[in-house]
Amino acid sequence: MSDVLELGWEEWLALPALGLPAIKAKVDTGARTSALHAEVIETFGTPDSPKVRFLIQPDPDRPKLEVICTAPVVDRRDITSSNGQTELRYVIATEMQIGGVRRTIEITLTNRETMSYRMLLGRSAFGENTVVSPDRSFLQPKLSYDLYKEIKPPKPSTRPLRIALLTREPDNYSSKRLLEAARARGHVIDAINTSRCYMKIEARAPEVHYDGKTLPFYDAVIPRIGASMTSYGMAVLRQFQGTGAWCLNPPEAIGASRDKLLAHQLLSQAGIAMPVTAFAHSPKDTKDLVGLAGSGPVVLKLLESTQGRGVVLAETKKAAESLVDAFRGLDANFLVQEFVKEAAGADVRCLVIGGRVVAAMKRQAQDGEFRSNLHRGGKATAITLSPAEKRTAVAAAKRLGLNIAGVDILQSNKGPVVLEVNSSPGLEGIEAATETDVAGKVIRLIEQRTRTLGRKR
């Protein structure tokens, strides 16, 4: 039995062709395909010989240890994870060394930064003479992350980036500022009308077309997708992802933020405080639905509301019940939410970029109005946030998967509560109130996230 490969439930292995001398992998007999952590995935090469370049942080405890890997693409497949989610992944073939055994295996690329193991070793990599002992670990020789000391860290890229700004309003303040900020830092940026994009969906070489031409490769995409274009805009953004572009906000995060019911459920699951919110479908539940949101005034909010439109305050239970019945008569989807009276018509907009609050302003509603949106006449002033408010804003953006977010917080008697999370926050009000170059910070985040993948043009 000396030719039998014995594995425990976790093992060390190497992927020498990728420049990875040591990876700790979870051995999973329930998974057919192996998976490797990959970030900032970029495709290149030709349609007949596609390749992929990606960034990996092999040691979960040392995020500054980064390795750039390159490999031929052998396929793209829909892979269903253990939690039931399906993801279209690139598939590469590379040599694996584990103990004294070397063999070529197929590996799918996916983001595993929240996982304890940077690699999952599926059963297709085992070979015929492999025995797995699920109650034992490290049956093969142990390796060490110290092997990476011989690898020089990649230098930050100073090359000009090609950036796409997805917007149907290139002349509004936010779009102009992003265009100016990118060009001021030496990058090429194109304003692209989302509705005029169309797609060639193909496994190995997906393309985005625009006005009769194939769009070039973009290092990054800034999505400024209007509410009326959410569904199609997300599809276009997924296509850009398929070409290897890094998206400032990924499509699934935008979808979660635009679906107010889903967003509230995700925030609730993460233990993030928010006003008590109720939702129902049956018209028989009107009285109980209103009661769930509290005994005082309540706010009714259409799920697709933006900039304060579709948001109504009901001063009494009876008024709330009448409004609920009226909204249902219109076949509208809406939430009933607790009214935080002590906020006194004010909220705090926190601008989160790359996991940090970079600017914050307090918005005060005009007299006789409870909505503080600047589009409805609210006034904005800069504000210094408490540590709890900063933590709440960052946690909300992170839970929805947003790299840039406008997190609206109410200052309640119980502490900060999240009112809403906006995936395409306007820049005009917060830049004016705080005198902060928010657009420049967005571009610097893009530089940071794409810095190590230096394809020259």
Side-chain angles (χ1 to χ4, degrees):
M1 295 289 288
S2 59
D3 58 343
V4 172
L5 176 63
E6 294 184 278
L7 301 177
W9 69 271
E10 58 178 345
E11 292 290 349
W12 285 93
L13 58 87
L15 302 171
L18 297 181
L20 301 173
I23 287 281
K24 193 186 293 185
K26 179 182 178 182
V27 179
D28 189 348
T29 57
R32 181 182 179 278
T33 311
S34 300
L36 181 66
H37 173 61
E39 294 185 74
V40 204
I41 298 173
E42 178 187 274
T43 55
F44 63 104
T46 66
D48 294 332
S49 182
K51 295 180 175 61
V52 65
R53 183 186 290 117
F54 59 93
L55 175 72
I56 180 172
Q57 297 159 319
D59 184 352
D61 297 323
R62 292 169 60 198
K64 290 186 178 180
L65 174 60
E66 298 178 337
V67 179
I68 301 168
C69 306
T70 301
V73 175
V74 298
D75 199 4
R76 292 191 82 194
R77 295 179 198 153
D78 281 320
I79 303 295
T80 302
S81 62
S82 57
N83 61 11
Q85 292 184 329
T86 299
E87 178 187 23
L88 183 61
R89 299 180 188 173
Y90 287 101
V91 184
I92 63 172
T94 192
E95 187 180 57
M96 173 191 71
Q97 180 171 351
I98 184 166
V101 175
R102 298 175 73 103
R103 64 168 61 108
T104 298
I105 65 170
E106 288 191 349
I107 302 174
T108 66
L109 303 179
T110 186
N111 192 317
R112 294 177 56 85
E113 64 181 339
T114 60
M115 306 293 184
S116 300
Y117 295 86
R118 288 299 191 244
M119 183 169 177
L120 181 147
L121 192 65
R123 60 180 184 273
S124 62
F126 296 167
E128 294 182 0
N129 298 323
T130 302
V131 175
V132 178
S133 300
D135 58 341
R136 302 174 67 188
S137 62
F138 301 124
L139 300 182
Q140 296 300 315
K142 292 185 180 181
L143 303 175
S144 170
Y145 292 123
D146 289 342
L147 293 170
Y148 288 94
K149 289 180 179 178
E150 304 299 322
I151 300 176
K152 293 182 179 180
K155 295 181 179 179
S157 171
T158 57
R159 69 184 174 95
L161 301 175
R162 183 181 287 275
I163 303 170
L165 174 63
L166 276 186
T167 179
R168 291 196 294 169
E169 298 178 324
D171 295 324
N172 71 13
Y173 178 91
S174 298
S175 296
K176 284 182 176 180
R177 285 288 296 118
L178 290 165
L179 292 167
E180 291 169 0
R183 288 166 182 159
R185 295 183 66 82
H187 304 303
V188 176
I189 184 168
D190 299 325
I192 296 173
N193 188 325
T194 317
S195 64
R196 282 160 50 192
C197 292
Y198 52 104
M199 297 158 272
K200 177 187 176 184
I201 301 171
E202 196 255 343
R204 289 181 136 195
E207 297 174 349
V208 181
H209 290 248
Y210 189 78
D211 287 349
K213 297 180 181 178
T214 304
L215 286 176
F217 169 82
Y218 287 97
D219 296 282
V221 179
I222 303 173
R224 304 273 318 167
I225 300 168
S228 62
M229 284 292 294
T230 297
S231 180
Y232 190 72
M234 288 167 58
V236 172
L237 204 55
R238 284 192 294 269
Q239 190 74 0
F240 275 111
Q241 278 187 321
T243 68
W246 182 77
C247 296
L248 179 62
N249 275 338
E252 60 273 13
I254 293 173
S257 70
R258 294 281 170 86
D259 184 336
K260 286 184 169 55
L261 177 59
L262 175 58
H264 279 73
Q265 289 173 323
L266 292 174
L267 295 176
S268 173
Q269 290 167 8
I272 297 170
M274 62 190 129
V276 177
T277 303
F279 176 84
H281 178 71
S282 171
K284 296 179 180 179
D285 301 322
T286 297
K287 287 187 177 182
D288 192 38
L289 180 67
V290 172
L292 290 175
S295 57
V298 296
V299 175
L300 278 76
K301 186 182 296 184
L302 291 174
L303 291 187
E304 62 273 15
S305 64
T306 59
Q307 298 178 350
R309 293 187 290 267
V311 181
V312 183
L313 175 65
E315 297 280 1
T316 66
K317 270 193 172 185
K318 191 164 188 65
E321 290 167 8
S322 297
L323 282 170
V324 168
D325 290 337
F327 276 26
R328 282 198 171 121
L330 296 172
D331 198 25
N333 293 314
F334 60 93
L335 301 172
V336 181
Q337 198 166 62
E338 171 192 13
F339 177 63
V340 181
K341 188 175 182 180
E342 61 267 24
D347 71 3
V348 175
R349 163 59 64 91
C350 310
L351 211 295
V352 179
I353 297 178
R356 292 179 54 246
V357 177
V358 301
M361 63 179 176
K362 189 168 186 176
R363 303 182 297 188
Q364 180 66 54
Q366 59 183 334
D367 291 344
E369 175 63 74
F370 76 98
R371 293 166 293 185
S372 58
N373 304 73
L374 301 185
H375 289 85
R376 310 202 69 83
K379 302 296 183 183
T381 55
I383 186 175
T384 300
L385 299 179
S386 69
E389 289 167 340
K390 287 182 180 179
R391 287 194 300 270
T392 298
V394 170
K398 182 178 180 180
R399 181 65 185 92
L400 296 183
L402 296 168
N403 292 301
I404 177 172
V407 182
D408 296 339
I409 287 176
L410 295 178
Q411 296 173 315
S412 77
N413 293 335
K414 300 176 183 178
V417 294
V418 175
L419 187 63
E420 190 171 359
V421 182
N422 192 320
S423 59
S424 295
L427 305 187
E428 184 171 10
I430 200 159
E431 285 198 335
T434 65
E435 298 183 349
T436 300
D437 179 15
V438 174
K441 292 181 183 297
V442 170
I443 302 304
R444 284 191 285 277
L445 176 66
I446 292 172
E447 291 170 346
Q448 176 188 343
R449 295 297 173 89
T450 59
R451 70 192 184 282
T452 54
L453 298 181
R455 187 197 321 189
K456 301 203 177 194
R457 289 187 173 46

